[in-house]
Amino acid sequence: MPKVKSFCLTAFISFLSLESIAQTHINLYPGTVPNSISGPDQEVHAANTLVDSLTSKVSIPGLTIFLPAKEKATGTAVIICPGGGYGTLLTKREGSDVARAFNKLGIAAFVVKYRLPDPKIMKDQSIGPIQDAQQAIKIVRERATEFGIDPTKIGIMGFSAGGHLASTAGTHFETRYIDEGGKTSLRPDFMILINPVVSFNDTTGHIGSRDNLLGKNAGAEKIRLFSNELQVTKATPPTFLVHSGADVVVPVANSIEFYKALNKNGVPGALHIYSKGEHGFLTYPTFEEWFGRVVEWMNTFI
C-alpha cells in the first residue's frame, strides 16, 4: 500500500471524527442469516464505565463501514472483530474508536458485529462467528471498487476472543463456512491480533471463550480444530501480534505459540510483548503506543 503517514501522537489525541466520513451500518446478509434459528431480536446495548460500551445477544449480524476522506485513502482496509469472550462485544473501545484511528491514516475500516454463540439462535453455534467474519471479508472484497480499496489489501484485526475469530479467518479460509462453491477469496491479506485468544487447549487456552464457542462438552477433535496455532500453514497471512506478558486473563503463550507456528512455516510475522499491562490494555500500554507499532508494521509489510 502507499506508505501510511508517519505515526504522530498528536494526531491520535485530536478529535478523530473530523476526518472520518461515511459511517454506515449494513446487515451482513441480504436475506436469511445462514445457520440461524428464527426468533425475536433480543440484542442488548449497555454502557460500561470500564470499556465504554457492550453489545450482547447478537442474532442479526452487521457491518459498520468507516471510510476515510478520499484524498487521504491509501486503498488498504481492515476488518475489525471486537473482543468479549464470545459472550459480548466491546463495540466502541475495540471497534469504532479503532476504526476512526485507521481513517485518520487513510485506511478504510469495517467493524463486524458478529453473532454470539447460542444454541437457541444457531443450528451450530461453533461456526456462527466465523461465518460472519467470512461474510464480512466477502462483502468488502466484492465491493472494493465502491469502497475505494484494493481487493488484495484487506486485512482482519481482532481483540481477545475477536483475535481468535480473526485468527480463525486467517487459518480456516480454505473451508467455506458460507457460500459453498463461491469464487470470492475469503483469505485475509494480513492479520493484526491484539492480546488474542488463539489456543483452546487446557493449559494456555481461554476456557471461557472455548466454552462459549464450542460448548462445555466439546470433543478433543473440535478443540484441536479451533486451536489456531495448530492450523497455521505456509498460506497463512502475514501477522502482527501484540500482548502483555502480565496478562492473567489470556496468557501471552497464545501469541507466542502462534508466532512460533508462523516462523516454522515461513510466514512473515511480528510479535511485541509488553512487560506489564492488563488484558485489554486498559491502563498500559497506551493506545498511541501499541497502535503506533501496528502502523509501523503495516508501513513495512503491507
PDB file of all heavy atoms in Angstrom, residues 262-300:
ATOM      1  N   LEU A 262       3.962 -19.456  12.881  1.00  0.00           N
ATOM      2  CA  LEU A 262       4.223 -18.643  11.689  1.00  0.00           C
ATOM      3  C   LEU A 262       5.672 -18.806  11.247  1.00  0.00           C
ATOM      4  O   LEU A 262       5.963 -19.032  10.062  1.00  0.00           O
ATOM      5  CB  LEU A 262       3.951 -17.165  11.990  1.00  0.00           C
ATOM      6  CG  LEU A 262       2.517 -16.725  12.270  1.00  0.00           C
ATOM      7  CD1 LEU A 262       2.506 -15.278  12.756  1.00  0.00           C
ATOM      8  CD2 LEU A 262       1.633 -16.868  11.038  1.00  0.00           C
ATOM      9  N   ASN A 263       6.592 -18.676  12.202  1.00  0.00           N
ATOM     10  CA  ASN A 263       8.016 -18.761  11.898  1.00  0.00           C
ATOM     11  C   ASN A 263       8.370 -20.128  11.321  1.00  0.00           C
ATOM     12  O   ASN A 263       9.152 -20.229  10.352  1.00  0.00           O
ATOM     13  CB  ASN A 263       8.813 -18.497  13.171  1.00  0.00           C
ATOM     14  CG  ASN A 263      10.274 -18.228  12.893  1.00  0.00           C
ATOM     15  OD1 ASN A 263      10.624 -17.430  12.032  1.00  0.00           O
ATOM     16  ND2 ASN A 263      11.146 -18.902  13.628  1.00  0.00           N
ATOM     17  N   LYS A 264       7.809 -21.177  11.889  1.00  0.00           N
ATOM     18  CA  LYS A 264       8.068 -22.536  11.412  1.00  0.00           C
ATOM     19  C   LYS A 264       7.626 -22.725   9.966  1.00  0.00           C
ATOM     20  O   LYS A 264       8.260 -23.459   9.194  1.00  0.00           O
ATOM     21  CB  LYS A 264       7.339 -23.541  12.315  1.00  0.00           C
ATOM     22  CG  LYS A 264       7.536 -24.991  11.914  1.00  0.00           C
ATOM     23  CD  LYS A 264       6.792 -25.918  12.859  1.00  0.00           C
ATOM     24  CE  LYS A 264       6.961 -27.378  12.442  1.00  0.00           C
ATOM     25  NZ  LYS A 264       6.233 -28.292  13.373  1.00  0.00           N
ATOM     26  N   ASN A 265       6.558 -22.025   9.583  1.00  0.00           N
ATOM     27  CA  ASN A 265       6.016 -22.172   8.230  1.00  0.00           C
ATOM     28  C   ASN A 265       6.505 -21.093   7.267  1.00  0.00           C
ATOM     29  O   ASN A 265       6.017 -21.005   6.134  1.00  0.00           O
ATOM     30  CB  ASN A 265       4.489 -22.167   8.284  1.00  0.00           C
ATOM     31  CG  ASN A 265       3.917 -23.481   8.786  1.00  0.00           C
ATOM     32  OD1 ASN A 265       3.732 -24.413   8.015  1.00  0.00           O
ATOM     33  ND2 ASN A 265       3.667 -23.567  10.084  1.00  0.00           N
ATOM     34  N   GLY A 266       7.438 -20.268   7.717  1.00  0.00           N
ATOM     35  CA  GLY A 266       7.998 -19.254   6.836  1.00  0.00           C
ATOM     36  C   GLY A 266       7.059 -18.107   6.534  1.00  0.00           C
ATOM     37  O   GLY A 266       7.198 -17.441   5.502  1.00  0.00           O
ATOM     38  N   VAL A 267       6.107 -17.848   7.425  1.00  0.00           N
ATOM     39  CA  VAL A 267       5.146 -16.751   7.236  1.00  0.00           C
ATOM     40  C   VAL A 267       5.673 -15.509   7.952  1.00  0.00           C
ATOM     41  O   VAL A 267       6.005 -15.579   9.138  1.00  0.00           O
ATOM     42  CB  VAL A 267       3.759 -17.126   7.794  1.00  0.00           C
ATOM     43  CG1 VAL A 267       2.787 -15.947   7.645  1.00  0.00           C
ATOM     44  CG2 VAL A 267       3.210 -18.355   7.082  1.00  0.00           C
ATOM     45  N   PRO A 268       5.753 -14.356   7.271  1.00  0.00           N
ATOM     46  CA  PRO A 268       6.233 -13.142   7.938  1.00  0.00           C
ATOM     47  C   PRO A 268       5.351 -12.791   9.135  1.00  0.00           C
ATOM     48  O   PRO A 268       4.121 -12.777   9.030  1.00  0.00           O
ATOM     49  CB  PRO A 268       6.119 -12.069   6.844  1.00  0.00           C
ATOM     50  CG  PRO A 268       6.151 -12.831   5.563  1.00  0.00           C
ATOM     51  CD  PRO A 268       5.467 -14.131   5.848  1.00  0.00           C
ATOM     52  N   GLY A 269       5.974 -12.545  10.260  1.00  0.00           N
ATOM     53  CA  GLY A 269       5.219 -12.198  11.462  1.00  0.00           C
ATOM     54  C   GLY A 269       6.015 -11.279  12.349  1.00  0.00           C
ATOM     55  O   GLY A 269       7.244 -11.195  12.250  1.00  0.00           O
ATOM     56  N   ALA A 270       5.324 -10.568  13.213  1.00  0.00           N
ATOM     57  CA  ALA A 270       5.957  -9.713  14.208  1.00  0.00           C
ATOM     58  C   ALA A 270       5.231  -9.910  15.521  1.00  0.00           C
ATOM     59  O   ALA A 270       4.001 -10.002  15.552  1.00  0.00           O
ATOM     60  CB  ALA A 270       5.907  -8.248  13.779  1.00  0.00           C
ATOM     61  N   LEU A 271       5.986  -9.968  16.606  1.00  0.00           N
ATOM     62  CA  LEU A 271       5.414 -10.170  17.934  1.00  0.00           C
ATOM     63  C   LEU A 271       6.024  -9.153  18.892  1.00  0.00           C
ATOM     64  O   LEU A 271       7.253  -9.066  19.023  1.00  0.00           O
ATOM     65  CB  LEU A 271       5.705 -11.593  18.428  1.00  0.00           C
ATOM     66  CG  LEU A 271       5.413 -11.901  19.897  1.00  0.00           C
ATOM     67  CD1 LEU A 271       3.932 -11.727  20.208  1.00  0.00           C
ATOM     68  CD2 LEU A 271       5.871 -13.318  20.242  1.00  0.00           C
ATOM     69  N   HIS A 272       5.167  -8.374  19.544  1.00  0.00           N
ATOM     70  CA  HIS A 272       5.653  -7.442  20.558  1.00  0.00           C
ATOM     71  C   HIS A 272       5.002  -7.785  21.883  1.00  0.00           C
ATOM     72  O   HIS A 272       3.776  -7.859  21.980  1.00  0.00           O
ATOM     73  CB  HIS A 272       5.341  -5.984  20.204  1.00  0.00           C
ATOM     74  CG  HIS A 272       5.999  -5.024  21.146  1.00  0.00           C
ATOM     75  ND1 HIS A 272       7.293  -4.597  20.987  1.00  0.00           N
ATOM     76  CD2 HIS A 272       5.548  -4.463  22.289  1.00  0.00           C
ATOM     77  CE1 HIS A 272       7.614  -3.798  21.980  1.00  0.00           C
ATOM     78  NE2 HIS A 272       6.574  -3.695  22.791  1.00  0.00           N
ATOM     79  N   ILE A 273       5.833  -7.981  22.904  1.00  0.00           N
ATOM     80  CA  ILE A 273       5.350  -8.329  24.238  1.00  0.00           C
ATOM     81  C   ILE A 273       5.735  -7.219  25.205  1.00  0.00           C
ATOM     82  O   ILE A 273       6.920  -6.886  25.342  1.00  0.00           O
ATOM     83  CB  ILE A 273       5.936  -9.667  24.724  1.00  0.00           C
ATOM     84  CG1 ILE A 273       5.560 -10.799  23.761  1.00  0.00           C
ATOM     85  CG2 ILE A 273       5.434  -9.988  26.134  1.00  0.00           C
ATOM     86  CD1 ILE A 273       6.233 -12.123  24.088  1.00  0.00           C
ATOM     87  N   TYR A 274       4.741  -6.651  25.873  1.00  0.00           N
ATOM     88  CA  TYR A 274       4.991  -5.652  26.906  1.00  0.00           C
ATOM     89  C   TYR A 274       5.212  -6.348  28.236  1.00  0.00           C
ATOM     90  O   TYR A 274       4.559  -7.352  28.534  1.00  0.00           O
ATOM     91  CB  TYR A 274       3.823  -4.670  26.993  1.00  0.00           C
ATOM     92  CG  TYR A 274       3.725  -3.746  25.809  1.00  0.00           C
ATOM     93  CD1 TYR A 274       2.879  -4.053  24.742  1.00  0.00           C
ATOM     94  CD2 TYR A 274       4.490  -2.594  25.738  1.00  0.00           C
ATOM     95  CE1 TYR A 274       2.806  -3.221  23.635  1.00  0.00           C
ATOM     96  CE2 TYR A 274       4.415  -1.756  24.636  1.00  0.00           C
ATOM     97  CZ  TYR A 274       3.577  -2.067  23.583  1.00  0.00           C
ATOM     98  OH  TYR A 274       3.521  -1.245  22.491  1.00  0.00           O
ATOM     99  N   SER A 275       6.100  -5.806  29.054  1.00  0.00           N
ATOM    100  CA  SER A 275       6.431  -6.444  30.324  1.00  0.00           C
ATOM    101  C   SER A 275       5.356  -6.234  31.381  1.00  0.00           C
ATOM    102  O   SER A 275       5.307  -6.952  32.378  1.00  0.00           O
ATOM    103  CB  SER A 275       7.773  -5.928  30.855  1.00  0.00           C
ATOM    104  OG  SER A 275       7.734  -4.521  31.035  1.00  0.00           O
ATOM    105  N   LYS A 276       4.498  -5.238  31.170  1.00  0.00           N
ATOM    106  CA  LYS A 276       3.388  -5.026  32.093  1.00  0.00           C
ATOM    107  C   LYS A 276       2.162  -4.621  31.282  1.00  0.00           C
ATOM    108  O   LYS A 276       2.240  -4.355  30.087  1.00  0.00           O
ATOM    109  CB  LYS A 276       3.724  -3.971  33.133  1.00  0.00           C
ATOM    110  CG  LYS A 276       3.887  -2.557  32.578  1.00  0.00           C
ATOM    111  CD  LYS A 276       4.098  -1.563  33.712  1.00  0.00           C
ATOM    112  CE  LYS A 276       4.131  -0.125  33.196  1.00  0.00           C
ATOM    113  NZ  LYS A 276       4.251   0.845  34.312  1.00  0.00           N
ATOM    114  N   GLY A 277       1.032  -4.557  31.976  1.00  0.00           N
ATOM    115  CA  GLY A 277      -0.210  -4.208  31.298  1.00  0.00           C
ATOM    116  C   GLY A 277      -1.237  -5.311  31.435  1.00  0.00           C
ATOM    117  O   GLY A 277      -0.927  -6.487  31.269  1.00  0.00           O
ATOM    118  N   GLU A 278      -2.465  -4.938  31.755  1.00  0.00           N
ATOM    119  CA  GLU A 278      -3.519  -5.916  31.935  1.00  0.00           C
ATOM    120  C   GLU A 278      -4.149  -6.301  30.594  1.00  0.00           C
ATOM    121  O   GLU A 278      -3.887  -5.697  29.566  1.00  0.00           O
ATOM    122  CB  GLU A 278      -4.606  -5.375  32.880  1.00  0.00           C
ATOM    123  CG  GLU A 278      -5.338  -4.144  32.349  1.00  0.00           C
ATOM    124  CD  GLU A 278      -4.527  -2.878  32.488  1.00  0.00           C
ATOM    125  OE1 GLU A 278      -4.553  -2.258  33.564  1.00  0.00           O
ATOM    126  OE2 GLU A 278      -3.892  -2.499  31.473  1.00  0.00           O
ATOM    127  N   HIS A 279      -4.979  -7.327  30.645  1.00  0.00           N
ATOM    128  CA  HIS A 279      -5.691  -7.748  29.438  1.00  0.00           C
ATOM    129  C   HIS A 279      -6.561  -6.597  28.931  1.00  0.00           C
ATOM    130  O   HIS A 279      -7.284  -5.962  29.692  1.00  0.00           O
ATOM    131  CB  HIS A 279      -6.569  -8.961  29.740  1.00  0.00           C
ATOM    132  CG  HIS A 279      -7.232  -9.535  28.530  1.00  0.00           C
ATOM    133  ND1 HIS A 279      -6.524 -10.169  27.537  1.00  0.00           N
ATOM    134  CD2 HIS A 279      -8.536  -9.560  28.150  1.00  0.00           C
ATOM    135  CE1 HIS A 279      -7.358 -10.565  26.589  1.00  0.00           C
ATOM    136  NE2 HIS A 279      -8.592 -10.203  26.942  1.00  0.00           N
ATOM    137  N   GLY A 280      -6.458  -6.322  27.656  1.00  0.00           N
ATOM    138  CA  GLY A 280      -7.229  -5.242  27.069  1.00  0.00           C
ATOM    139  C   GLY A 280      -6.512  -3.906  27.078  1.00  0.00           C
ATOM    140  O   GLY A 280      -7.034  -2.923  26.549  1.00  0.00           O
ATOM    141  N   PHE A 281      -5.319  -3.858  27.687  1.00  0.00           N
ATOM    142  CA  PHE A 281      -4.528  -2.620  27.722  1.00  0.00           C
ATOM    143  C   PHE A 281      -5.356  -1.430  28.237  1.00  0.00           C
ATOM    144  O   PHE A 281      -5.378  -0.359  27.643  1.00  0.00           O
ATOM    145  CB  PHE A 281      -3.974  -2.292  26.329  1.00  0.00           C
ATOM    146  CG  PHE A 281      -3.097  -3.354  25.727  1.00  0.00           C
ATOM    147  CD1 PHE A 281      -2.968  -3.463  24.350  1.00  0.00           C
ATOM    148  CD2 PHE A 281      -2.389  -4.236  26.523  1.00  0.00           C
ATOM    149  CE1 PHE A 281      -2.157  -4.426  23.778  1.00  0.00           C
ATOM    150  CE2 PHE A 281      -1.566  -5.219  25.968  1.00  0.00           C
ATOM    151  CZ  PHE A 281      -1.456  -5.315  24.590  1.00  0.00           C
ATOM    152  N   LEU A 282      -6.041  -1.639  29.343  1.00  0.00           N
ATOM    153  CA  LEU A 282      -6.910  -0.587  29.871  1.00  0.00           C
ATOM    154  C   LEU A 282      -6.123   0.591  30.436  1.00  0.00           C
ATOM    155  O   LEU A 282      -6.579   1.733  30.379  1.00  0.00           O
ATOM    156  CB  LEU A 282      -7.838  -1.167  30.946  1.00  0.00           C
ATOM    157  CG  LEU A 282      -8.798  -2.271  30.470  1.00  0.00           C
ATOM    158  CD1 LEU A 282      -9.610  -2.806  31.632  1.00  0.00           C
ATOM    159  CD2 LEU A 282      -9.708  -1.765  29.365  1.00  0.00           C
ATOM    160  N   THR A 283      -4.948   0.313  31.003  1.00  0.00           N
ATOM    161  CA  THR A 283      -4.134   1.395  31.556  1.00  0.00           C
ATOM    162  C   THR A 283      -2.737   1.458  30.959  1.00  0.00           C
ATOM    163  O   THR A 283      -2.098   2.506  30.967  1.00  0.00           O
ATOM    164  CB  THR A 283      -4.000   1.258  33.086  1.00  0.00           C
ATOM    165  OG1 THR A 283      -3.330   0.020  33.400  1.00  0.00           O
ATOM    166  CG2 THR A 283      -5.367   1.275  33.757  1.00  0.00           C
ATOM    167  N   TYR A 284      -2.233   0.328  30.452  1.00  0.00           N
ATOM    168  CA  TYR A 284      -0.899   0.290  29.853  1.00  0.00           C
ATOM    169  C   TYR A 284      -0.801  -0.917  28.934  1.00  0.00           C
ATOM    170  O   TYR A 284      -1.327  -1.978  29.285  1.00  0.00           O
ATOM    171  CB  TYR A 284       0.184   0.182  30.937  1.00  0.00           C
ATOM    172  CG  TYR A 284       1.583   0.239  30.367  1.00  0.00           C
ATOM    173  CD1 TYR A 284       2.230   1.456  30.184  1.00  0.00           C
ATOM    174  CD2 TYR A 284       2.232  -0.920  29.976  1.00  0.00           C
ATOM    175  CE1 TYR A 284       3.502   1.515  29.627  1.00  0.00           C
ATOM    176  CE2 TYR A 284       3.505  -0.873  29.427  1.00  0.00           C
ATOM    177  CZ  TYR A 284       4.136   0.336  29.247  1.00  0.00           C
ATOM    178  OH  TYR A 284       5.389   0.395  28.695  1.00  0.00           O
ATOM    179  N   PRO A 285      -0.153  -0.797  27.789  1.00  0.00           N
ATOM    180  CA  PRO A 285       0.367   0.428  27.173  1.00  0.00           C
ATOM    181  C   PRO A 285      -0.764   1.327  26.678  1.00  0.00           C
ATOM    182  O   PRO A 285      -1.902   0.872  26.538  1.00  0.00           O
ATOM    183  CB  PRO A 285       1.196  -0.098  26.004  1.00  0.00           C
ATOM    184  CG  PRO A 285       0.495  -1.372  25.625  1.00  0.00           C
ATOM    185  CD  PRO A 285       0.044  -1.977  26.927  1.00  0.00           C
ATOM    186  N   THR A 286      -0.446   2.565  26.372  1.00  0.00           N
ATOM    187  CA  THR A 286      -1.446   3.471  25.836  1.00  0.00           C
ATOM    188  C   THR A 286      -1.833   3.057  24.427  1.00  0.00           C
ATOM    189  O   THR A 286      -1.092   2.343  23.730  1.00  0.00           O
ATOM    190  CB  THR A 286      -0.914   4.910  25.783  1.00  0.00           C
ATOM    191  OG1 THR A 286       0.196   4.966  24.872  1.00  0.00           O
ATOM    192  CG2 THR A 286      -0.494   5.389  27.158  1.00  0.00           C
ATOM    193  N   PHE A 287      -2.982   3.543  23.996  1.00  0.00           N
ATOM    194  CA  PHE A 287      -3.408   3.273  22.628  1.00  0.00           C
ATOM    195  C   PHE A 287      -2.361   3.771  21.635  1.00  0.00           C
ATOM    196  O   PHE A 287      -2.014   3.078  20.673  1.00  0.00           O
ATOM    197  CB  PHE A 287      -4.755   3.957  22.355  1.00  0.00           C
ATOM    198  CG  PHE A 287      -5.205   3.815  20.922  1.00  0.00           C
ATOM    199  CD1 PHE A 287      -5.802   2.657  20.483  1.00  0.00           C
ATOM    200  CD2 PHE A 287      -5.014   4.843  20.011  1.00  0.00           C
ATOM    201  CE1 PHE A 287      -6.204   2.508  19.153  1.00  0.00           C
ATOM    202  CE2 PHE A 287      -5.406   4.718  18.688  1.00  0.00           C
ATOM    203  CZ  PHE A 287      -6.010   3.542  18.261  1.00  0.00           C
ATOM    204  N   GLU A 288      -1.860   4.976  21.860  1.00  0.00           N
ATOM    205  CA  GLU A 288      -0.885   5.554  20.945  1.00  0.00           C
ATOM    206  C   GLU A 288       0.361   4.688  20.821  1.00  0.00           C
ATOM    207  O   GLU A 288       0.938   4.575  19.741  1.00  0.00           O
ATOM    208  CB  GLU A 288      -0.499   6.972  21.420  1.00  0.00           C
ATOM    209  CG  GLU A 288      -1.614   7.994  21.300  1.00  0.00           C
ATOM    210  CD  GLU A 288      -2.603   7.926  22.443  1.00  0.00           C
ATOM    211  OE1 GLU A 288      -2.344   7.217  23.427  1.00  0.00           O
ATOM    212  OE2 GLU A 288      -3.657   8.590  22.338  1.00  0.00           O
ATOM    213  N   GLU A 289       0.753   4.050  21.928  1.00  0.00           N
ATOM    214  CA  GLU A 289       1.948   3.212  21.923  1.00  0.00           C
ATOM    215  C   GLU A 289       1.751   1.955  21.084  1.00  0.00           C
ATOM    216  O   GLU A 289       2.467   1.721  20.119  1.00  0.00           O
ATOM    217  CB  GLU A 289       2.331   2.859  23.365  1.00  0.00           C
ATOM    218  CG  GLU A 289       3.264   1.687  23.540  1.00  0.00           C
ATOM    219  CD  GLU A 289       4.605   1.838  22.852  1.00  0.00           C
ATOM    220  OE1 GLU A 289       5.077   2.978  22.678  1.00  0.00           O
ATOM    221  OE2 GLU A 289       5.193   0.790  22.486  1.00  0.00           O
ATOM    222  N   TRP A 290       0.748   1.126  21.442  1.00  0.00           N
ATOM    223  CA  TRP A 290       0.630  -0.139  20.710  1.00  0.00           C
ATOM    224  C   TRP A 290       0.116   0.063  19.292  1.00  0.00           C
ATOM    225  O   TRP A 290       0.538  -0.633  18.363  1.00  0.00           O
ATOM    226  CB  TRP A 290      -0.213  -1.161  21.482  1.00  0.00           C
ATOM    227  CG  TRP A 290      -1.696  -0.897  21.603  1.00  0.00           C
ATOM    228  CD1 TRP A 290      -2.349  -0.409  22.687  1.00  0.00           C
ATOM    229  CD2 TRP A 290      -2.703  -1.150  20.608  1.00  0.00           C
ATOM    230  NE1 TRP A 290      -3.706  -0.319  22.436  1.00  0.00           N
ATOM    231  CE2 TRP A 290      -3.947  -0.775  21.170  1.00  0.00           C
ATOM    232  CE3 TRP A 290      -2.683  -1.646  19.306  1.00  0.00           C
ATOM    233  CZ2 TRP A 290      -5.151  -0.879  20.474  1.00  0.00           C
ATOM    234  CZ3 TRP A 290      -3.887  -1.756  18.599  1.00  0.00           C
ATOM    235  CH2 TRP A 290      -5.100  -1.373  19.185  1.00  0.00           C
ATOM    236  N   PHE A 291      -0.758   1.054  19.092  1.00  0.00           N
ATOM    237  CA  PHE A 291      -1.270   1.275  17.743  1.00  0.00           C
ATOM    238  C   PHE A 291      -0.166   1.822  16.836  1.00  0.00           C
ATOM    239  O   PHE A 291      -0.127   1.526  15.640  1.00  0.00           O
ATOM    240  CB  PHE A 291      -2.462   2.231  17.788  1.00  0.00           C
ATOM    241  CG  PHE A 291      -3.210   2.310  16.480  1.00  0.00           C
ATOM    242  CD1 PHE A 291      -3.971   1.243  16.037  1.00  0.00           C
ATOM    243  CD2 PHE A 291      -3.166   3.449  15.697  1.00  0.00           C
ATOM    244  CE1 PHE A 291      -4.675   1.305  14.842  1.00  0.00           C
ATOM    245  CE2 PHE A 291      -3.859   3.524  14.496  1.00  0.00           C
ATOM    246  CZ  PHE A 291      -4.617   2.450  14.072  1.00  0.00           C
ATOM    247  N   GLY A 292       0.746   2.588  17.410  1.00  0.00           N
ATOM    248  CA  GLY A 292       1.885   3.062  16.630  1.00  0.00           C
ATOM    249  C   GLY A 292       2.719   1.922  16.092  1.00  0.00           C
ATOM    250  O   GLY A 292       3.241   1.984  14.972  1.00  0.00           O
ATOM    251  N   ARG A 293       2.859   0.858  16.862  1.00  0.00           N
ATOM    252  CA  ARG A 293       3.610  -0.305  16.394  1.00  0.00           C
ATOM    253  C   ARG A 293       2.860  -1.050  15.285  1.00  0.00           C
ATOM    254  O   ARG A 293       3.462  -1.588  14.357  1.00  0.00           O
ATOM    255  CB  ARG A 293       3.924  -1.230  17.571  1.00  0.00           C
ATOM    256  CG  ARG A 293       4.842  -0.560  18.591  1.00  0.00           C
ATOM    257  CD  ARG A 293       5.245  -1.486  19.715  1.00  0.00           C
ATOM    258  NE  ARG A 293       6.046  -0.763  20.691  1.00  0.00           N
ATOM    259  CZ  ARG A 293       7.365  -0.586  20.597  1.00  0.00           C
ATOM    260  NH1 ARG A 293       8.011  -1.081  19.564  1.00  0.00           N
ATOM    261  NH2 ARG A 293       8.017   0.081  21.526  1.00  0.00           N
ATOM    262  N   VAL A 294       1.541  -1.063  15.389  1.00  0.00           N
ATOM    263  CA  VAL A 294       0.734  -1.631  14.301  1.00  0.00           C
ATOM    264  C   VAL A 294       0.990  -0.865  13.004  1.00  0.00           C
ATOM    265  O   VAL A 294       1.230  -1.454  11.943  1.00  0.00           O
ATOM    266  CB  VAL A 294      -0.768  -1.589  14.650  1.00  0.00           C
ATOM    267  CG1 VAL A 294      -1.612  -1.981  13.438  1.00  0.00           C
ATOM    268  CG2 VAL A 294      -1.086  -2.504  15.825  1.00  0.00           C
ATOM    269  N   VAL A 295       0.946   0.457  13.096  1.00  0.00           N
ATOM    270  CA  VAL A 295       1.131   1.301  11.917  1.00  0.00           C
ATOM    271  C   VAL A 295       2.516   1.104  11.310  1.00  0.00           C
ATOM    272  O   VAL A 295       2.671   0.985  10.089  1.00  0.00           O
ATOM    273  CB  VAL A 295       0.900   2.783  12.280  1.00  0.00           C
ATOM    274  CG1 VAL A 295       1.273   3.702  11.122  1.00  0.00           C
ATOM    275  CG2 VAL A 295      -0.555   3.002  12.681  1.00  0.00           C
ATOM    276  N   GLU A 296       3.534   1.035  12.170  1.00  0.00           N
ATOM    277  CA  GLU A 296       4.899   0.835  11.684  1.00  0.00           C
ATOM    278  C   GLU A 296       5.016  -0.480  10.932  1.00  0.00           C
ATOM    279  O   GLU A 296       5.642  -0.577   9.867  1.00  0.00           O
ATOM    280  CB  GLU A 296       5.878   0.872  12.858  1.00  0.00           C
ATOM    281  CG  GLU A 296       7.351   0.890  12.460  1.00  0.00           C
ATOM    282  CD  GLU A 296       7.919  -0.484  12.171  1.00  0.00           C
ATOM    283  OE1 GLU A 296       7.391  -1.484  12.714  1.00  0.00           O
ATOM    284  OE2 GLU A 296       8.890  -0.572  11.383  1.00  0.00           O
ATOM    285  N   TRP A 297       4.392  -1.529  11.468  1.00  0.00           N
ATOM    286  CA  TRP A 297       4.434  -2.837  10.807  1.00  0.00           C
ATOM    287  C   TRP A 297       3.697  -2.781   9.464  1.00  0.00           C
ATOM    288  O   TRP A 297       4.184  -3.330   8.463  1.00  0.00           O
ATOM    289  CB  TRP A 297       3.810  -3.894  11.713  1.00  0.00           C
ATOM    290  CG  TRP A 297       3.791  -5.269  11.105  1.00  0.00           C
ATOM    291  CD1 TRP A 297       4.834  -6.143  11.013  1.00  0.00           C
ATOM    292  CD2 TRP A 297       2.670  -5.927  10.488  1.00  0.00           C
ATOM    293  NE1 TRP A 297       4.435  -7.307  10.384  1.00  0.00           N
ATOM    294  CE2 TRP A 297       3.116  -7.193  10.055  1.00  0.00           C
ATOM    295  CE3 TRP A 297       1.339  -5.560  10.275  1.00  0.00           C
ATOM    296  CZ2 TRP A 297       2.270  -8.099   9.416  1.00  0.00           C
ATOM    297  CZ3 TRP A 297       0.490  -6.463   9.638  1.00  0.00           C
ATOM    298  CH2 TRP A 297       0.960  -7.713   9.218  1.00  0.00           C
ATOM    299  N   MET A 298       2.550  -2.130   9.440  1.00  0.00           N
ATOM    300  CA  MET A 298       1.808  -2.033   8.188  1.00  0.00           C
ATOM    301  C   MET A 298       2.606  -1.255   7.143  1.00  0.00           C
ATOM    302  O   MET A 298       2.613  -1.610   5.962  1.00  0.00           O
ATOM    303  CB  MET A 298       0.445  -1.362   8.435  1.00  0.00           C
ATOM    304  CG  MET A 298      -0.505  -2.220   9.251  1.00  0.00           C
ATOM    305  SD  MET A 298      -2.080  -1.392   9.586  1.00  0.00           S
ATOM    306  CE  MET A 298      -2.823  -1.405   7.953  1.00  0.00           C
ATOM    307  N   ASN A 299       3.289  -0.222   7.560  1.00  0.00           N
ATOM    308  CA  ASN A 299       4.128   0.542   6.638  1.00  0.00           C
ATOM    309  C   ASN A 299       5.199  -0.342   6.000  1.00  0.00           C
ATOM    310  O   ASN A 299       5.561  -0.161   4.837  1.00  0.00           O
ATOM    311  CB  ASN A 299       4.829   1.680   7.382  1.00  0.00           C
ATOM    312  CG  ASN A 299       3.976   2.925   7.480  1.00  0.00           C
ATOM    313  OD1 ASN A 299       3.089   3.142   6.671  1.00  0.00           O
ATOM    314  ND2 ASN A 299       4.252   3.748   8.477  1.00  0.00           N
ATOM    315  N   THR A 300       5.687  -1.303   6.783  1.00  0.00           N
ATOM    316  CA  THR A 300       6.812  -2.117   6.336  1.00  0.00           C
ATOM    317  C   THR A 300       6.392  -3.310   5.510  1.00  0.00           C
ATOM    318  O   THR A 300       7.066  -3.679   4.538  1.00  0.00           O
ATOM    319  CB  THR A 300       7.611  -2.601   7.569  1.00  0.00           C
ATOM    320  OG1 THR A 300       8.011  -1.472   8.347  1.00  0.00           O
ATOM    321  CG2 THR A 300       8.853  -3.381   7.148  1.00  0.00           C
TER     322      THR A 300
END
